[in-house]
Amino acid sequence: MLKNKNVLLGVSGGIAAYKACALTSKLVQQGAEVKVVMTEGATQFVNPLTFQALSRNPVYTNAFDEKNPEKIAHIDLADWADIVILAPATAHLLGRVANGLADDMLTTILLATTAPVYVAPAMNVHMYDHPAVKENLKTLETYDYRFIEPGNGYLACGYVGKGRLEEPENIIDVIATRESKQQTLRGKKVLVTAGPTVEVIDAVRFFTNHSSGKMGYAIATEARDLGADVTLVSGPVQLDPIPGVEMVPVQSAKEMFEAVVSRFEQQDMIIKAAAVADYRPKQQFSNKMKKKDGDLSIELERTEDILKTIGEKKQTQYLVGFAAETDHLLDYGQEKLTRKNLDAVVINDISEENSGFKSDTNAVHVLTKSGKSKAIPLQTKQEIASQLWSVFIEDQKGDPS
Ligand code: PMT
C-alpha cells in the first residue's frame, strides 16, 4: 500500500527518535518516497544526516531555510505528502498541534497539509496519563488524526508502562491496513440517517423516541473508514460529530425528508438507520398550551415516509432500510424490503436485551433483495456496522456468498 506513496515523517524530540530511523528505512524498503522533518528537540537525539542517508532526501528542520526561491518549502511539503506520520509524537508536539500552533517547520506543515495524519505518541507513562495530554489527543481525534497507540513495556526513563513508541513494523502495518481499507468505498457517496426525530406539540412539548443515534453513527464512521464520501443526516443526539463526515443536523421527520430527498440523487448508497416518527401533531403551537381540567386529545397526521419515497424514485442507488420489530422479525422485514423497494433491510429485535435502541450493542438480521439472509449475533454497534458493510458491498457487487 505504501509503494510510491509520498510519506512525510515528522520526528519530535524524545529518546524514541532513534526508532524513527528504523521506521524511515522500512518505509523506503516498502517503496515509499520519504521526506523527514525534525523538530529542534529531535535534532538533539539524532543527527539529521542519519535521516538524510536513510531517506536519500534532504531533511527539514528550519521553517526559514528556504532553499528554492520558486517555492515556499512548508507549503510545498504539505502538498507533496500523501501521508504524514508523526513518530515519535512527544507530549509537547501533541500540545502544539492540538492548539493550532505553527512555530516551526513541522507544525507549520501540519496546519497546511490535507493528507491523512498518523500519530504514534511516545512518552513517560505518567505524562501519557496526564489530563492535558489526554485532552490534546481528544482534540486531535476531532481533526481526524489517526492514532497508533504506544505499547506497554520498559521505558527509557526507567518506568514500566504505557508510553513506548510502537515498533516500526507495527506502525507500517497499521497504516497500510487502514490505507488499504480506505480503497474499498473510494469515490462512492454514501448517505446515512441516524437518531430520532422530534415532533413539536407546542413551545415546550414534543414527541420523540428512544433512538440514541449510536447505530447510525457507527455505520457512518465505518463508511468513512472504508473511504466513502459520507453525509450523515442526524436527528438530535448526544453524540459528537464524526470527523471527516458531512454532518446535517435535523429535528423533525419533515426536515429529515427534505435533507434526504434533496441529496438522494447524488448518492451511491443510502442507509436509513434513523427512527423516524410515523405521526406528528396535526397542529403545532408556537406558544405553551395552557393546562385545562379534563383530558386532552392531540390529533396526529402521518409524516412523509422517506424510505418509501426514495424507494420509488431510486434508479442505480443501493438502498438499505432498518426495521425495529418485536415479533415476526423475518416476515415483517421481508414485507418492508418488498413494499419499500429496498436492496436490503436490517432487522433489529428490539425485545432482546442489549439490542436495538440506546444500547452499545445490537443483534440484527439482514435480508437482501437478491435473496441473502444473514443473522449477525450480539456485538458492539461498531462491529455490527463493519459486518453490515461487508454484506452491502458484496451484495452490491453481485457476489453470491
Ligand atoms: O439509535 P440507536 O439507539 O443506536 O438505535 C438503533 C435503532 C434501533 C434506532 C436502529 O437500529 C433502527 O432499527 N432504526 C429504524 C427504526 C425504525 O424506525 O424502524 P421502522 O420500522 O419504524 O422504520 C422502518 C424504516 O423506514 C427505517 O429505515 C426508517 O428510517 C424508515 N422510515 C420510517 C418512517 C418514516 N416516516 N420514514 C422513514 O424513512
Side-chain angles (χ1 to χ4, degrees), residues 191-197 209 211-220 231-237 239 242 247-251 256 260 271-276 322:
L191 185 144
V192 180
T193 69
T197 61
N209 61 62
S211 171
S212 62
K214 287 176 190 168
M215 191 66 246
Y217 274 56
I219 289 172
T231 303
L232 177 58
V233 178
S234 172
V237 295
L239 302 173
I242 308 171
M247 304 294 294
V248 181
V250 295
Q251 295 284 323
M256 189 171 277
V260 173
I271 320 292
K272 287 220 69 257
V276 187
F322 269 66

Side-chain angles (χ1 to χ4, degrees), residues 13 21-22 25 37 52 56 101 109 192 199 211 244-245 272 285 287 299 304 308 323 334 339 343 360 375:
C21 303
S25 167
V37 182
Q52 181 176 307
R56 289 177 223 126
L101 298 188
I109 292 171
V192 180
E199 309 302 329
S211 171
V245 167
K272 287 220 69 257
F285 298 95
N287 295 335
E299 201 178 345
E304 300 77 2
K308 190 156 179 290
Q334 184 63 52
R339 182 167 50 83
D343 294 288
D360 289 331

Side-chain angles (χ1 to χ4, degrees), residues 174-196:
V174 170
I175 296 172
T177 307
R178 173 95 190 227
E179 290 296 308
S180 127
K181 185 175 171 181
Q182 291 249 297
Q183 300 305 315
T184 320
L185 287 178
R186 179 124 298 164
K188 296 270 184 207
K189 285 177 85 70
V190 169
L191 185 144
V192 180
T193 69

